[in-house]
Amino acid sequence: MKKIYLCGGIFNLDKKQASEWREYVKKKLYPFFKFLDPMRRNFRDHEFQSRNEIVQLDKADIMEADILLVNGSKPSWGTAMEVLFSFEKHKIIIAFTNDEFEKTSPWLAFHATRICHTLDDAIKYIRRQM
């Protein structure tokens, strides 16, 4: 079974902002995929002290994943680093931005396998291609 790492901002977002879209993806793509969701770990209120553990665990998840699904609608340092790390490991990177394609960062567009306008478009693409 293919595994999807759910990549997107967490730091400086409340739990709902960070997890709502991830839970939606799980409902839409279950049971066809396994999900690697960084929200399953709780580092709230001690991110700085846990920074090494956070990065090491996220990188391990990415190495295990077949696909990186990227929420590019709210760019973050972590998301950008995970995209680059995944690209260098030859992972499939599907990103959604909720923007017009012309407003997508050239960096994200270059490193992504596919850019989708919305989360639903990304889910449809994953279903068709995988």
Side-chain angles (χ1 to χ4, degrees):
M1 178 177 293
K2 291 198 177 193
K3 297 175 186 173
I4 300 175
Y5 180 77
L6 302 172
C7 175
I10 296 174
F11 187 69
N12 287 332
L13 297 177
D14 65 37
K15 186 173 181 170
K16 182 180 179 183
Q17 292 172 309
S19 62
E20 193 170 51
W21 74 271
R22 289 176 166 96
E23 294 305 317
Y24 181 78
V25 169
K26 291 176 195 176
K27 287 177 187 169
K28 292 291 187 175
L29 293 176
Y30 179 83
F32 307 106
F33 296 89
K34 181 177 178 184
F35 303 97
L36 301 167
D37 183 352
M39 291 297 292
R40 72 187 186 279
R41 299 183 280 268
N42 185 9
F43 291 106
R44 294 265 176 218
D45 302 321
H46 57 280
E47 291 94 346
F48 185 77
Q49 294 84 355
S50 303
R51 65 191 175 275
N52 292 343
E53 186 178 6
I54 291 169
V55 172
Q56 288 171 352
L57 291 170
D58 289 351
K59 282 183 163 187
D61 279 353
I62 290 167
M63 291 302 296
E64 187 179 339
D66 301 293
I67 302 165
L68 194 79
L69 178 59
V70 180
N71 182 344
S73 60
K74 292 185 182 191
S76 75
W77 280 102
T79 301
M81 297 284 187
E82 289 173 345
V83 168
L84 181 60
F85 181 74
S86 300
F87 178 83
E88 291 174 343
K89 300 299 180 187
H90 308 284
K91 301 291 180 175
I92 296 169
I93 303 169
I94 311 299
F96 66 96
T97 63
N98 295 329
D99 285 330
E100 298 170 23
F101 293 117
E102 299 80 27
K103 294 182 181 178
T104 300
S105 162
W107 279 83
L108 180 58
F110 177 87
H111 291 92
T113 307
R114 179 75 163 204
I115 301 284
C116 297
H117 179 66
T118 66
L119 175 55
D120 284 323
D121 290 343
I123 290 169
K124 288 176 193 170
Y125 179 79
I126 290 169
R127 280 187 183 148
R128 277 194 320 264
Q129 300 301 318
M130 309 303 163

